[in-house]
Amino acid sequence: MKKSLSFALLLSLSAFSHASFAQETLRFGVDPTFPPFESKASDGSLQGFDIDLGNAICAQAKVKCQWVQIGFDGSIPALQARKFDAILSAMSMTEKRREQVAFSDMLYVTPSALLTPANAPLTGDINALRGKRIGVAQGTIQETYAKAQWATKGVSVVSYPNQMEIYPDLVAGRLDASLANAVSAEQGFLNTPAGKDYVISATLVDKEVLGNGVGIGLRKDDAANLKLINTALAELHSNGTYDQLAKKYFKFKVYP
């Protein structure tokens, strides 16, 4: 009888210890190949708006932030496998993704953009795109949109591991255009020497496929961390921290 009680006590203490750890640490999954939202600095440290916002959420909630780097297209399976607690990596909230994860309150909203050479601007019109090669990043809403709306109509949609790997092929002429997040395309490419001869020739809005803003993705049964994140995020808006961080990265309002 004493052995049974001791074993039960150990199990109880173990469960309490695990729960305490969960409350003390918030693990975010991130793909740092998407400036200005998330990328790596020259010293290998993580930087970007999402990184600053995630760290601010943790500070507000009085928990420790832990960042787990992973390819974007594998982020939802990794979340379900409990490799981290939440995805904070510019993930647009689409209905298809809502079937797999629960989303926090909206973080920001930015459009998708068609990135093309300045001397041969294309448009989102299918007649202009037919026969062209369009680069997209794997697992993104831009890939989903391009395959659903263009690939079946004579457009060659080429998927890459991440957006940063698309730009060299675009400059080399192996691609005619890229469909990407507008802010990332501007700050991660157009504002660099390599992107001086390129423009955003069209912006796309499609709430069904491209989503309605970006959120933090969590497991559907994780009500505790969802409440923790939303409560902290609301306070960051209230105390002005969110606006301070946004002004550091953007020249326009990204939160309506």
Side-chain angles (χ1 to χ4, degrees), residues 21-255:
F21 177 80
Q23 293 299 312
E24 293 173 0
T25 304
L26 186 58
R27 300 172 300 160
F28 285 124
V30 64
D31 179 1
T33 61
F34 202 60
F37 301 101
E38 45 262 341
S39 62
K40 285 187 178 182
S42 57
D43 63 359
S45 62
L46 296 175
Q47 62 182 4
F49 180 60
D50 282 351
I51 306 301
D52 285 357
L53 186 57
N55 287 331
I57 287 172
C58 289
Q60 183 65 46
K62 295 181 173 57
V63 297
K64 178 182 178 182
C65 249
Q66 182 179 338
W67 295 91
V68 180
Q69 297 180 41
I70 189 168
F72 188 82
D73 59 336
S75 58
I76 291 180
L79 173 70
Q80 306 293 18
R82 298 182 179 274
K83 293 184 178 179
F84 41 79
D85 304 306
I87 302 168
L88 180 43
S89 196
M91 178 169 279
S92 295
M93 299 183 288
T94 66
E95 291 307 311
K96 184 176 181 180
R97 286 174 178 160
R98 287 186 188 277
E99 295 174 2
Q100 303 176 73
V101 302
F103 279 107
S104 70
D105 293 336
M106 189 181 71
L107 302 182
Y108 50 85
V109 58
T110 56
S112 293
L114 189 65
L115 191 61
T116 68
N119 62 357
L122 301 173
T123 68
D125 185 271
I126 188 62
N127 293 319
L129 296 174
R130 190 172 286 114
K132 304 298 184 182
R133 288 172 58 84
I134 312 297
V136 292
Q138 290 177 357
T140 63
I141 55 172
Q142 289 80 23
E143 180 188 45
T144 300
Y145 182 91
K147 287 186 173 180
Q149 302 295 327
W150 297 341
T152 58
K153 301 173 183 176
V155 180
S156 178
V157 177
V158 186
S159 298
Y160 288 74
N162 58 69
Q163 186 64 34
M164 297 306 290
E165 294 190 27
I166 293 175
Y167 298 135
D169 278 5
L170 184 62
V171 172
R174 289 186 285 270
L175 293 171
D176 298 294
S178 174
L179 183 61
N181 176 277
V183 175
S184 179
E186 179 182 21
Q187 298 192 25
F189 181 64
L190 294 179
N191 289 347
T192 69
K196 63 183 179 64
D197 296 325
Y198 293 80
V199 297
I200 290 176
S201 61
T203 55
L204 288 75
V205 177
D206 184 326
K207 290 184 178 181
E208 182 177 350
V209 180
L210 297 176
N212 188 22
V214 165
I216 298 173
L218 301 97
R219 289 183 293 276
K220 287 193 170 185
D221 61 356
D222 192 0
N225 277 325
L226 180 60
K227 181 179 179 180
L228 180 147
I229 288 171
N230 281 341
T231 300
L233 186 60
E235 186 59 32
L236 295 180
H237 281 290
S238 178
N239 64 27
T241 301
Y242 180 95
D243 287 339
Q244 291 176 9
L245 294 177
K247 288 177 182 178
K248 177 181 174 182
Y249 292 95
F250 312 113
K251 297 178 181 178
F252 55 91
K253 291 184 72 66
V254 293
Y255 187 84

